[in-house]
Amino acid sequence: MNLNAARKRIDELRQLLDEHSHRYYVLDAPSISDEEYDRLFRELTQLEGQFPELTAPDSPTARVGGAPLEGFDKVVHARPMLSLQNAFDHQELRAFDERVRRFLGNEGPIRYAVEPKIDGLAVQVSYSGRLFTIGATRGDGLIGEDVTQNLRTIRGLPLRLPDSAPDELRVRGEVYLSKRDFAGLNQAKEEAGEKTFANPRNAAAGSVRQLDPQIAAARPLRIVFYAPGGADRSAGGQCAFLELLRNYRLPTHAGSLAQCCEGIEQTIDAVRWIEQQRRELPFDIDGAVVKVDDFELQGRLGATAHHPRWAIAVKFKAQKAQTRVNAIEVQVGRTGALTPVAKLDPAAVGGVTIRSASLHNQDEIDRLDVREGDQVLIQRAGDVIPEILEVLVDQRDGSERKFSIPERHRACPACGSAVVRAPGDAAYRCVGLACPAKLAESLKHFASKGCMNIEGLGDKLIDQLVERGLVHSPADLYDLGEAAWAELDRMGLKSARNIVEALERGKHVSLNRLLAALGIRMVGETVAELLARRYRTLDGLLGAQYDELTAIDGVGPKVARSIVDFFSDAANREVIGRLLDHGVEPQPLAQIEQGVFADQSVVLTGELESMTRAEAKERIKSAGGRVSGSVSSKTDLVVAGPGAGSKLSKAQKLGVKVIDEQRFLEMLEHG
Ligand code: IVH
């Protein structure tokens, strides 16, 4: 592709990706799948890699998060970010209206803007030359923290404003998580044995105030804007201001929620309406904000040191209820975490009937001292997830029974494997590799890119395999023939053949990747590599002792314990034995270090017939090489296929060695 064609396609891709992010994060109406989005994103990343001169600060690829920071810089707010006064019922709201009118000299009915109040993290965002430049937290209202890097990762935040927007713009808004994303995040944390967030507010604040932008980038943060940050009052009033923001494609509350009302009674109706919507809304709110619409009147009303006199927050009641814990049951999650769940007498909280609440882990049971038979107070964390707030200890009659997981479950309730709790881990976990409760998830991990990298074996396919009972461990994948794969939904003979071939090719993985693929707790890529270096073969590792493992630099006692537990489990040993019987032949790292491409920088260009690009990269890496996107004087070798373009000519100009696919295959085979 030449520079002009690349520029055209890059522009196209950026527009497409921006549009889809907007649809997903702002309009909540995605029109393509996540996979399709990822595909477009990868294409853009690849093109920008090939044509570095075409990278841009407002490209969607600029959202991935930069290097970790030492600390946040301070930002002094030109105008303080104030708090709001509160009203706890409609009477107090009427009193606010009277104060406003009295202050203004008994003006007639006031026009108010009414909006939902999301409980998230307040931020101010600045655009300069229509480009996103600075994002800051509210801090103490006068001085906030520079969280530009983290806000940049929020896909609903435009990095560039349309030409209709003013050159300079400052807006204030709230960073938050949707109810669904909050629940998903906590579930993932729980399964990883990490501490969960108490509510969406903490989750949003914790994500934005992360020094490592990669973490913020991985969280599905959203943003909504509701107030001017600068002194520009040209919109005239709040309702018109929100309309302007919408035109600039900045996310705001939907028009059906952010209403413009004449007089206080209409305003109260709008507040009521928002409260009625509360349950259906995709995000958590804790009230409504009522603002005098007219900016000129706002200016006359002014502010105290704490809050503006022209706005007030109407707080909704927390939704709580009392009920009884009938029993505590243990469920097995994806990563084998045994999760205790309180089974409750059905109770209505905020219009929803609650029958159970997760107790997360033994620590939480101990902290609450909750017992079977207890009367408890429950609420829905962030309006969504039922949780036990406190035990009503004075209502005990002595018949309550204490609960402890290992007493009830010495073995996994789903598969009977051993149950262990590593030091520092909040959860008891089943160590069984073939445990059905966590089977699908461990298979997805096994097949994933960083592990066995089995192309074509996606999540949906794996769910089908597990649902139909076709597969009980990773080893079973290798038992299925083309015909069996072809019978699955949305599979044809061709895709079936591709999967069987992908499985076949994957048999030569490096030992470290196989180790990572097994999903041993606390053994990620890094530890897997340490182990592969120390042991070289799987056999060596199978017999490793605890003391031997802790002697490895980078392997602590917890990790060593987890490895020993894993390999001493009979079911796990059987699965590993079967993988080896199927011809899985992990390659020692030493072989990689002495591989045919050891320490060489290799560039691929043009098409390959016998494998995909991803596989070629993988093969080069497992033969010790590095794959680079562009040719330079540091390139050692270029593999060129049909359609090779500028990279080939550049290689020839620089005198870099060029080989064709045939020779490439020979080198891979014979070294
Ligand atoms: S206006 C000077 N509008 O509530 C008034 N605030 O308790 C600026 N909040 O710090 C705030 N939704 O973080 C406004 N629609 C909304 C809001 C909102 C949530 C937050 C904001 C503020 C806090 C005050």
Side-chain angles (χ1 to χ4, degrees):
M1 195 183 279
N2 65 29
L3 187 66
N4 271 336
R7 180 174 292 126
K8 189 153 163 273
R9 182 62 183 155
I10 284 179
D11 279 349
E12 235 167 57
L13 286 167
R14 286 180 184 156
Q15 263 180 33
L16 269 173
L17 287 164
D18 280 344
E19 179 59 29
H20 289 304
S21 285
H22 186 74
R23 291 190 66 88
Y24 187 99
Y25 281 98
V26 183
L27 308 178
D28 215 1
S31 59
I32 58 170
S33 68
D34 292 359
E35 288 78 27
E36 178 67 2
Y37 182 92
D38 291 343
R39 200 187 62 70
L40 295 171
F41 193 90
R42 269 199 305 277
E43 188 186 342
L44 179 59
T45 314
Q46 215 166 18
L47 272 179
E48 289 181 350
Q50 267 174 38
F51 298 91
E53 62 270 47
L54 298 180
T55 51
D58 60 334
S59 172
T61 56
R63 294 188 191 276
V64 289
L69 303 171
E70 295 277 319
F72 292 112
D73 288 340
K74 298 277 177 260
V75 174
V76 180
H77 299 303
R79 290 156 23 98
M81 290 179 74
L82 298 178
S83 196
L84 289 172
Q85 45 185 331
N86 290 322
F88 291 95
D89 56 37
H90 298 163
Q91 227 24 62
E92 291 184 22
L93 188 52
R94 286 195 182 89
F96 162 77
D97 174 58
E98 274 164 28
R99 282 200 300 280
V100 166
R101 284 187 296 126
R102 205 177 324 121
F103 196 99
L104 294 172
N106 282 323
E107 188 118 353
I110 303 281
R111 175 203 283 255
Y112 289 108
V114 183
E115 303 160 11
K117 181 171 184 296
I118 292 193
D119 197 17
L121 182 77
V123 295
Q124 171 158 303
V125 164
S126 306
Y127 288 87
S128 194
R130 283 186 283 276
L131 281 182
F132 168 66
T133 46
I134 299 180
T137 62
R138 175 175 167 221
D140 64 2
L142 298 172
I143 299 175
E145 287 173 328
D146 182 342
V147 289
T148 309
Q149 285 216 64
N150 288 341
L151 294 194
R152 185 181 283 289
T153 67
I154 301 178
R155 271 169 52 186
L157 178 86
L159 297 179
R160 174 194 291 276
L161 298 181
D163 294 343
S164 57
D167 227 36
E168 303 289 318
L169 184 70
R170 253 182 271 162
V171 273
R172 291 179 180 177
E174 204 85 358
V175 176
Y176 68 99
L177 282 161
S178 75
K179 292 176 183 172
R180 194 180 50 209
D181 289 338
F182 168 67
L185 178 60
N186 259 358
Q187 197 186 340
K189 284 200 139 270
E190 186 154 326
E191 281 159 3
E194 292 169 21
K195 223 170 122 0
T196 52
F197 289 112
N199 52 52
R201 201 206 106 74
N202 286 2
S207 306
V208 172
R209 301 194 59 261
Q210 271 289 341
L211 287 170
D212 184 354
Q214 307 282 354
I215 297 181
R219 304 255 166 94
L221 295 171
R222 291 170 200 248
I223 193 163
V224 63
F225 292 105
Y226 47 64
D232 181 11
R233 291 287 181 271
S234 57
Q238 174 68 9
C239 297
F241 172 74
L242 291 186
E243 201 48 49
L244 264 186
L245 295 189
R246 278 179 208 124
N247 290 339
Y248 303 156
R249 292 172 74 81
L250 287 162
T252 58
H253 285 300
S256 56
L257 285 172
Q259 296 194 32
C260 208
C261 305
E262 302 293 339
I264 194 63
E265 292 311 317
Q266 228 185 58
T267 300
I268 289 172
D269 284 346
V271 169
R272 232 183 240 127
W273 197 80
I274 291 177
E275 186 160 15
Q276 279 165 13
Q277 301 303 306
R278 188 176 183 186
R279 210 167 8 114
E280 313 302 331
L281 294 178
F283 45 80
D284 181 30
I285 61 174
D286 63 345
V289 184
V290 173
K291 303 171 183 176
V292 171
D293 179 65
D294 189 326
F295 283 161
E296 203 257 324
L297 294 185
Q298 286 187 6
R300 275 167 60 194
L301 284 156
T304 71
H306 171 260
H307 60 255
R309 286 193 200 89
W310 45 265
I312 193 162
V314 188
K315 292 290 195 121
F316 299 153
K317 285 192 187 57
Q319 315 193 24
K320 289 184 197 165
Q322 180 180 340
T323 186
R324 177 175 185 276
V325 176
N326 289 322
I328 297 176
E329 287 178 5
V330 172
Q331 295 171 357
V332 187
R334 288 192 297 176
T335 58
L338 267 58
T339 308
V341 177
K343 295 288 165 186
L344 308 167
D345 262 352
V349 186
V352 175
T353 306
I354 305 295
R355 292 190 169 80
S356 61
S358 173
L359 288 163
H360 307 294
N361 50 51
Q362 186 68 44
D363 289 346
E364 180 68 0
I365 296 179
D366 297 344
R367 187 184 70 79
L368 288 164
D369 184 26
V370 56
R371 306 174 188 183
E372 289 176 321
D374 265 338
Q375 285 291 324
V376 291
L377 221 48
I378 59 172
Q379 73 170 16
R380 290 162 67 212
D383 236 14
V384 221
I385 304 166
E387 65 175 14
I388 294 183
L389 213 56
E390 65 176 298
V391 175
L392 303 170
V393 180
D394 51 1
Q395 295 189 26
R396 280 187 179 154
D397 63 12
S399 68
E400 297 77 17
R401 297 170 306 278
K402 279 205 169 210
F403 182 89
S404 130
I405 298 176
E407 260 169 43
R408 207 64 74 86
H409 289 285
R410 292 184 186 288
C412 168
C415 75
S417 276
V419 160
V420 298
R421 182 183 191 175
D425 189 354
Y428 285 89
R429 285 171 200 276
C430 157
V431 299
L433 187 58
C435 175
K438 57 181 198 181
L439 177 62
E441 219 46 44
S442 40
L443 287 172
K444 288 171 195 172
H445 176 77
F446 183 82
S448 68
K449 245 193 179 158
C451 297
M452 299 295 278
N453 190 22
I454 302 168
E455 229 169 281
L457 185 50
D459 290 2
K460 296 217 175 82
L461 213 51
I462 289 175
D463 287 338
Q464 273 192 68
L465 292 174
V466 174
E467 272 162 30
R468 298 192 186 191
L470 290 171
V471 168
H472 299 97
S473 84
D476 293 347
L477 293 171
Y478 299 87
D479 282 333
L480 299 177
E482 277 176 25
W485 287 103
E487 275 191 16
L488 298 171
D489 293 347
R490 275 175 304 185
M491 288 286 286
L493 212 52
K494 183 153 182 289
S495 27
R497 182 162 308 149
N498 288 342
I499 289 203
V500 171
E501 281 171 8
L503 281 162
E504 197 54 41
R505 282 192 304 266
K507 289 181 177 173
H508 301 287
V509 280
S510 54
L511 176 58
N512 51 324
R513 287 169 66 120
L514 176 66
L515 290 174
L518 292 175
I520 308 165
R521 290 258 324 135
M522 304 194 196
V523 179
E525 274 174 43
T526 319
V527 175
E529 197 172 318
L530 293 174
L531 294 175
R533 278 187 201 289
R534 167 72 177 74
Y535 289 98
R536 306 172 59 114
T537 67
L538 196 53
D539 264 352
L541 181 57
L542 282 173
Q545 304 289 310
Y546 174 83
D547 291 341
E548 217 174 281
L549 288 165
T550 50
I552 301 174
D553 190 18
V555 176
K558 289 181 204 167
V559 180
R561 185 80 265 149
S562 162
I563 297 168
V564 171
D565 284 338
F566 184 88
F567 286 118
S568 46
D569 184 80
N572 290 350
R573 291 185 82 100
E574 196 210 309
V575 171
I576 291 168
R578 284 184 49 224
L579 282 172
L580 300 181
D581 290 345
H582 275 294
V584 173
E585 205 184 330
Q587 307 294 306
L589 267 181
Q591 207 137 315
I592 291 177
E593 278 160 6
Q594 294 154 17
V596 57
F597 296 124
D599 274 333
Q600 296 205 24
S601 168
V602 183
V603 173
L604 295 164
T605 176
E607 278 169 40
L608 295 172
E609 270 172 12
S610 59
M611 59 184 94
T612 65
R613 276 252 165 149
E615 287 158 28
K617 282 188 187 171
E618 212 31 68
R619 297 288 293 269
I620 292 169
K621 277 200 238 162
S622 47
R626 293 184 305 278
V627 181
S628 158
S630 58
V631 176
S632 75
S633 56
K634 292 187 194 127
T635 309
D636 294 296
L637 186 69
V638 171
V639 181
S646 61
K647 289 192 217 173
L648 177 57
S649 31
K650 188 155 181 198
Q652 285 160 341
K653 204 157 56 189
L654 292 171
V656 174
K657 186 172 167 195
V658 179
I659 59 170
D660 64 6
E661 181 167 0
Q662 191 59 39
R663 176 80 193 109
F664 176 56
L665 291 175
E666 282 166 17
M667 288 180 76
L668 285 173
E669 292 267 301
H670 310 295

